[in-house]
Amino acid sequence: MSSASIRAAIHTLLAGVFAALLSGCDPRRFPGSTFAPRSDMAHWVEAVYFEVIGWDGLILILICVLVFLCLTRFSTRASEDQPKPPPPHPEYLGLEVAWTVGPALILLFIAVPSLRIVFRTQQSAPPTNALIINVTAHQWWWQFDYPSMGIHTANEVHIPVDRPVRFLLNSTDVIHSFWIPAMGGKRDVVPGHVNELTFTPQVTGEYIGECAEFCGLSHANMRFRVFVQSRVAFDDWRANQAGGPRLPTGGPARAGEQVYVTSACTTCHAIAGYSSGYIGPNLTHFASRTTFAGSTLRNTPQNLAAWLENPQALKPGAQMPALGLRGTELNDLVAYLESLK
Ligand code: HEC
Ligand SMILES: [Cu+2]
């Protein structure tokens, strides 16, 4: 095989690997992709990404051409009868300055647009019409409180489209990181310190979020969902959430209400008017959520029953004890929780 055809084979192989890697960026198949920006912030980040990749690409091409020229034009076949090349002169001052200053300039070139975006996403004066949401990270779930609306929920956050949202991030235990790939982040969530993240969602839809900082056993099960809604849909959701829980009218849900108020659940969970625990998620409108347990389980009666029987079996390390509920008691409790729309 000639060296040219080896080279061609290597190029084809590299192109194939590159194409395969790029196909992993398809946002329709991979909702965790950042290549489908749906907020102003996500667009800025994507723009700077492509800008830097562009400059890097130019440098890569330049270097490849130079290496190619060196290999083809200046290489000598080692043979006995050829004179040895002279040793390189030790003091090419100009060259040394060039290869020190050159890369420094390149780094500066990349740093300027990157830093511009860093400062732009850390707005010191967020828009006055921003919706403020307090985010509290727990091992391993997310608490969302809307101070201006009296709304307390967990693992699923609803926000109106085209209105700036300002997340105030805090943690009760270790360092987590708040990340919605299609919107913005990652931003560290540090205990005893409030970090901020402000952006404006631009497209309605359901998006995934996740913890992006290893935080213990169930770090991978610490997800959340973001519902970007039209103004009307958001107002409906908000009106329902701000009200008290639905009262069970009878049947198993009514019996389940009694199980709830007489059990240990009340020490850790809040249901407005019933209990005010704050160790676990607020359950006032539990049934209005599509998922639970760090948004890893679909909210179905089967999943809920399995969860109440043995949380750790579904989520390793989950900080909710198995309370030994069985039979009718368990079914009634499930019926009650699933009535809390
Ligand atoms: C010692 C405190 C504690 C007790 C007692 C407790 N829980 Fe929990 N519960 C938690 C914690 C913490 C979580 C969050 C677990 C996670 O997602 O990692 C949780 C999660 C849940 C969830 C899922 C909520 C969501 O939106 O993700 C439900 C439902 C629930 N608990 C119901 C109950 C019921 C019903 C009882 C009583 C039988 C109960 N819990 C007793 C601490 C407790
Ligand atoms: Cu984590």
Side-chain angles (χ1 to χ4, degrees), residues 139-141 154-155 260 263-269 279-283 286 289 291-295 304 307-308 315 318-321 323 325 333 337:
Q139 286 173 317
W140 291 273
W141 58 281
N155 300 319
Y260 179 80
S263 74
C265 317
T266 52
T267 53
C268 295
H269 291 284
I279 307 290
N282 188 303
L283 302 178
F286 175 72
R289 305 205 273 267
T291 57
F292 67 97
S295 200
L304 182 57
W307 172 260
L308 295 178
K315 188 169 178 182
Q319 302 195 3
M320 165 162 157
L323 291 170
L325 292 165
L333 189 57
L337 292 172

Side-chain angles (χ1 to χ4, degrees), residues 176 211 213-215 219 222:
H176 302 270
C211 177
E213 177 90 54
F214 181 70
C215 58
H219 161 65
M222 187 170 166

Side-chain angles (χ1 to χ4, degrees), residues 26-338:
D26 181 356
R28 282 154 306 182
R29 289 171 55 212
F30 301 96
S33 168
T34 51
F35 291 101
R38 296 287 184 267
S39 78
D40 52 351
M41 179 179 183
H43 274 113
W44 303 337
V45 173
E46 196 197 45
V48 78
Y49 174 81
F50 281 118
E51 191 178 339
V52 170
I53 286 282
W55 292 118
D56 287 352
L58 278 181
I59 295 166
L60 180 71
I61 291 170
L62 183 71
I63 289 173
C64 287
V65 168
L66 286 177
V67 169
F68 186 78
L69 282 181
C70 291
L71 289 178
T72 52
R73 300 275 305 274
F74 303 113
S75 77
T76 47
R77 212 172 275 278
S79 69
E80 293 298 314
D81 44 279
Q82 249 175 355
K84 284 231 161 85
H89 195 284
E91 284 166 24
Y92 284 114
L93 187 66
L95 202 60
E96 284 187 19
V97 169
W99 71 44
T100 308
V101 172
L105 283 179
I106 292 170
L107 287 182
L108 198 71
F109 220 58
I110 293 172
V112 169
S114 309
L115 284 176
R116 223 179 41 225
I117 294 302
V118 168
F119 286 114
R120 199 163 169 187
T121 62
Q122 300 266 8
Q123 295 153 321
S124 51
T128 46
N129 65 331
L131 171 64
I132 292 182
I133 301 179
N134 292 330
V135 179
T136 312
H138 302 255
Q139 286 173 317
W140 291 273
W141 58 281
W142 300 93
Q143 176 185 340
F144 297 106
D145 300 291
Y146 300 58
S148 63
M149 300 177 175
I151 293 174
H152 309 282
T153 187
N155 300 319
E156 296 196 348
V157 62
H158 290 240
I159 49 181
V161 71
D162 292 331
R163 176 176 170 188
V165 58
R166 186 174 170 212
F167 292 103
L168 302 180
L169 311 163
N170 205 341
S171 163
T172 52
D173 36 53
V174 300
I175 298 177
H176 302 270
S177 177
F178 186 79
W179 187 35
I180 310 162
M183 299 281 163
K186 310 154 179 175
R187 189 129 311 158
D188 273 5
V189 187
V190 183
H193 174 83
V194 178
N195 270 345
E196 299 188 13
L197 180 68
T198 304
F199 61 76
T200 306
Q202 294 167 327
V203 184
T204 57
E206 182 182 334
Y207 303 97
I208 62 153
E210 61 196 54
C211 177
E213 177 90 54
F214 181 70
C215 58
L217 201 52
S218 258
H219 161 65
N221 297 320
M222 187 170 166
R223 311 207 191 130
F224 59 102
R225 251 154 241 263
V226 183
F227 296 86
V228 177
Q229 297 181 297
S230 67
R231 187 51 61 94
V232 176
F234 177 77
D235 283 344
D236 279 353
W237 177 83
R238 162 197 179 166
N240 183 58
Q241 296 290 313
R246 299 265 165 96
L247 300 180
T249 46
R254 191 67 201 262
E257 180 192 33
Q258 286 312 304
V259 178
Y260 179 80
V261 294
T262 54
S263 74
C265 317
T266 52
T267 53
C268 295
H269 291 284
I271 294 182
Y274 290 79
S275 65
S276 52
Y278 51 83
I279 307 290
N282 188 303
L283 302 178
T284 306
H285 294 286
F286 175 72
S288 72
R289 305 205 273 267
T290 63
T291 57
F292 67 97
S295 200
T296 53
L297 299 171
R298 283 266 151 215
N299 191 352
T300 64
Q302 293 77 20
N303 283 344
L304 182 57
W307 172 260
L308 295 178
E309 262 190 288
N310 191 352
Q312 285 85 17
L314 299 177
K315 188 169 178 182
Q319 302 195 3
M320 165 162 157
L323 291 170
L325 292 165
R326 299 266 179 291
T328 357
E329 232 186 1
L330 179 64
N331 288 336
D332 291 348
L333 189 57
V334 169
Y336 171 58
L337 292 172
E338 294 296 10

